[in-house]
């Protein structure tokens, strides 16, 4: 039976990216492809969400993989990952990401050349891979590449557990056994690729597959949803305070280490709370939710490229920051849905961007 709350949490996670990436245009502590006047409200929103929403998507991916592998063969699963993740990643880096760096070059470097000239620059200018000021980057599509690699890396472990009949679906969980699992994320987080913690995302995928896909774990989270939500809110407030101390002062190694551990605990608690709340309040569907359950992945694919392009022009023609934020976010959402509707009409674009018919 389809788990509608998983679809709905994924959809809400994708939709969260519209205010999040719009806030990135106006944040004060890290640059972006296009930048506006820094805003403390945007800073706060980013700090409240940045640590957990991508781990949430990898956790959901792990849960979804558990469902998929119960219905598909290993070969079918690999084929699906190839066409849904790797192929869109390749076409995205070639066709859509250079649009973002074109506006980044114009914003940060005063670039006055043509888009085609910048297209050559995109593949030859090697920087830190963020691409915020131009140069080669996977941009937000790093998520597709990481998820593809993680999906394949996790398969031997999954198949090995199946071969030796290692099954924890009947295990009874409590908060005393499930909360300490954040240590798994904390330890693996040291493995980074291109500035992203590959090990952390791998750990969330595995925890999603082996633990959070089980009925007993989800039942626990649903029963403890209010406690977990309270802890998540409290820990988030404390985390912002710790960030301000570390960011603006020279913190010792011990303080930084303990802060990192607390960040991982907070992220884990928030994810558990969201799953518990989702199971209790979002385990249903309707026409709108069903539409976005299918559209959320392509919308994720297109949204940031559209946001950067729209943001560049809105920042130049609108002066009020609140109006800039509102118009950029709204137009990006509308443009993303329209782009999805157009691209899903043609077989070739469905293939290129991983869109289901």
């Amino acid at each position: 039976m389809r788990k509608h709350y998983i679809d709905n949490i994924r959809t809400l996670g994708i939709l969260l990216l519209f205010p999040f990436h719009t806030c990135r245009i106006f944040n004060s502590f890290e640059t972006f492809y296009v930048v506006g006047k820094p805003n403390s409200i945007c800073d706060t929103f980013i700090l409240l969400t940045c640590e957990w929403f991508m781990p949430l998507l990898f956790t959901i991916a792990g849960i979804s993989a558990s469902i998929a592998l119960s219905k598909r063969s290993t070969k079918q699963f690999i084929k699906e990952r190839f066409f849904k993740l790797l192929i869109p990643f390749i076409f995205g880096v070639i066709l859509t990401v250079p649009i973002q760096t074109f506006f980044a070059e114009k914003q940060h470097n005063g670039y006055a050349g043509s888009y085609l000239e910048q297209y050559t620059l995109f593949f030859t200018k090697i920087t830190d891979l963020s691409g915020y000021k131009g140069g080669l980057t996977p941009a937000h599509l790093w998520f597709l590449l990481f998820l593809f690699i993680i999906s394949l890396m996790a398969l031997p472990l999954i198949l090995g557990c199946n071969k030796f009949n290692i099954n924890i679906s009947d295990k009874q969980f409590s908060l005393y056994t499930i909360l300490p699992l954040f240590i798994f994320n904390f330890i693996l987080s040291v493995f980074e690729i291109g500035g992203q913690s590959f090990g952390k995302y791998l750990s969330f995928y595995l925890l999603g597959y082996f633990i959070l896909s089980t009925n007993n774990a989800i039942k626990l989270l649903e029963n403890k949803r209010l406690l977990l939500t309270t802890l998540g809110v409290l820990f988030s407030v404390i985390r912002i305070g710790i960030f301000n101390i570390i960011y603006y002062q020279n913190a010792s190694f011990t303080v930084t280490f303990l802060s990192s551990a607390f960040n991982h605990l907070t992220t884990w608690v928030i994810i558990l709370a969201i799953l518990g709340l989702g199971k209790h309040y979002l385990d249903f569907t309707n026409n709108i939710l069903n539409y976005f359950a299918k559209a959320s992945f392509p919308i994720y694919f297109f949204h940031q490229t559209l946001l950067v392009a729209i943001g560049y022009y809105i920042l130049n023609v609108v002066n009020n920051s609140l109006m800039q934020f509102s118009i950029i976010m709204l137009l990006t959402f509308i443009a993303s849905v329209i782009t999805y509707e157009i691209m899903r009409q043609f077989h070739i674009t469905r293939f290129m961007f991983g869109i289901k018919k």
Side-chain angles (χ1 to χ4, degrees):
M1 185 175 71
R2 191 168 187 87
K3 298 181 179 181
H4 295 301
Y5 73 96
I6 296 298
D7 290 334
N8 293 335
I9 291 174
R10 183 191 299 110
T11 295
L12 292 176
I14 297 298
L15 294 179
L16 179 67
L17 291 172
F18 287 95
F20 178 84
H21 280 138
T22 306
C23 282
R24 288 285 283 108
I25 295 176
F26 301 95
N27 82 282
S28 64
F29 45 82
E30 187 180 17
T31 190
F32 196 56
Y33 300 95
V34 293
V35 293
K37 183 179 178 181
N39 184 284
S40 60
I41 296 177
C42 289
D43 286 350
T44 302
F45 183 84
I46 290 171
L47 290 174
L48 285 172
T49 56
C50 67
E51 293 287 346
W52 58 262
F53 76 81
M54 291 309 296
L56 174 65
L57 293 181
F58 279 98
T59 303
I60 293 296
I63 298 173
S64 299
S66 175
I67 298 171
L69 282 169
S70 69
K71 302 175 181 178
R72 299 174 180 84
S73 67
T74 302
K75 182 178 180 180
Q76 289 172 327
F77 179 79
I78 294 173
K79 181 179 178 180
E80 181 187 56
R81 299 296 91 184
F82 179 81
F83 285 107
K84 187 175 181 179
L85 298 173
L86 186 60
I87 293 297
F89 171 79
I90 293 171
F91 278 106
V93 170
I94 294 174
L95 299 177
T96 66
V97 172
I99 297 173
Q100 297 181 53
T101 58
F102 173 65
F103 290 105
E105 292 281 2
K106 292 169 71 69
Q107 170 86 72
H108 296 285
N109 305 320
Y111 179 75
S114 69
Y115 175 75
L116 291 179
E117 291 172 331
Q118 188 274 156
Y119 192 78
T120 301
L121 184 64
F122 173 80
F123 289 102
T124 57
K125 181 180 178 180
I126 308 299
T127 59
D128 61 356
L129 292 182
S130 73
Y132 291 151
K133 295 184 179 181
L136 182 65
T137 176
H140 63 299
L141 300 185
W142 66 266
F143 171 66
L144 306 187
L145 181 61
F146 272 36
L147 185 53
F148 176 75
I149 296 173
I150 286 172
S151 297
L152 298 189
M153 284 184 60
L155 264 181
L157 178 61
I158 292 169
L159 296 176
C161 289
N162 292 339
K163 180 179 179 180
F164 292 102
N165 295 318
I166 300 175
N167 189 348
I168 60 174
S169 61
D170 295 328
K171 179 179 176 59
Q172 293 297 320
F173 294 97
S174 71
L175 290 184
Y176 296 107
T177 58
I178 208 166
L179 283 179
L181 292 175
F182 85 91
I183 297 174
F184 184 49
N185 310 130
F186 181 47
I187 294 173
L188 289 187
S189 67
V190 299
F191 300 102
E192 293 189 355
I193 299 177
Q196 298 287 350
S197 182
F198 181 86
K200 178 175 70 174
Y201 297 128
L202 171 62
S203 70
F204 280 110
Y205 181 92
L206 292 174
L207 288 172
Y209 185 95
F210 287 108
I211 306 295
L212 300 180
S213 63
T214 64
N215 291 330
N216 288 337
I218 291 299
K219 183 178 180 180
L220 170 69
L221 302 185
E222 183 179 13
N223 291 337
K224 301 294 184 181
R225 65 189 182 280
L226 297 182
L227 173 60
L228 289 167
T229 301
T230 302
L231 290 175
V233 172
L234 176 62
F235 288 178
S236 294
V237 173
I238 296 174
R239 179 159 64 183
I240 291 179
I242 294 174
F243 172 83
N244 288 329
I245 293 174
I246 293 178
Y247 186 78
Y248 295 107
Q249 301 180 25
N250 293 321
S252 65
F253 171 80
T254 302
V255 172
T256 302
F257 178 84
L258 293 176
S259 170
S260 178
F262 182 75
N263 280 343
H264 283 83
L265 172 60
T266 303
T267 296
W268 183 233
V269 169
I270 291 173
I271 289 175
L272 298 180
I274 290 173
L275 288 170
L277 292 170
K279 179 63 174 70
H280 191 77
Y281 298 109
L282 298 175
D283 200 13
F284 65 93
T285 190
N286 54 40
N287 290 337
I288 295 176
L289 292 175
N290 187 51
Y291 174 85
F292 280 105
K294 298 174 182 177
S296 60
F297 176 83
I299 285 176
Y300 171 85
F301 185 93
F302 296 117
H303 86 281
Q304 187 168 288
T305 297
L306 295 167
L307 181 140
V308 170
I310 291 170
Y312 178 83
Y313 291 109
I314 295 300
L315 291 173
N316 285 303
V317 299
V318 178
N319 293 322
N320 182 273
S321 295
L322 179 59
M323 290 295 294
Q324 289 174 338
F325 181 94
S326 302
I327 294 172
I328 291 171
M329 186 172 67
L330 180 60
L331 289 183
T332 300
F333 175 75
I334 294 172
S336 298
V337 173
I338 291 174
T339 303
Y340 162 67
E341 283 296 328
I342 294 172
M343 295 302 173
R344 75 173 182 150
Q345 303 302 318
F346 307 99
H347 176 78
I348 183 62
T349 49
R350 289 199 301 270
F351 168 78
M352 291 165 59
F353 304 124
I355 301 173
K356 291 184 178 180
K357 185 174 182 180

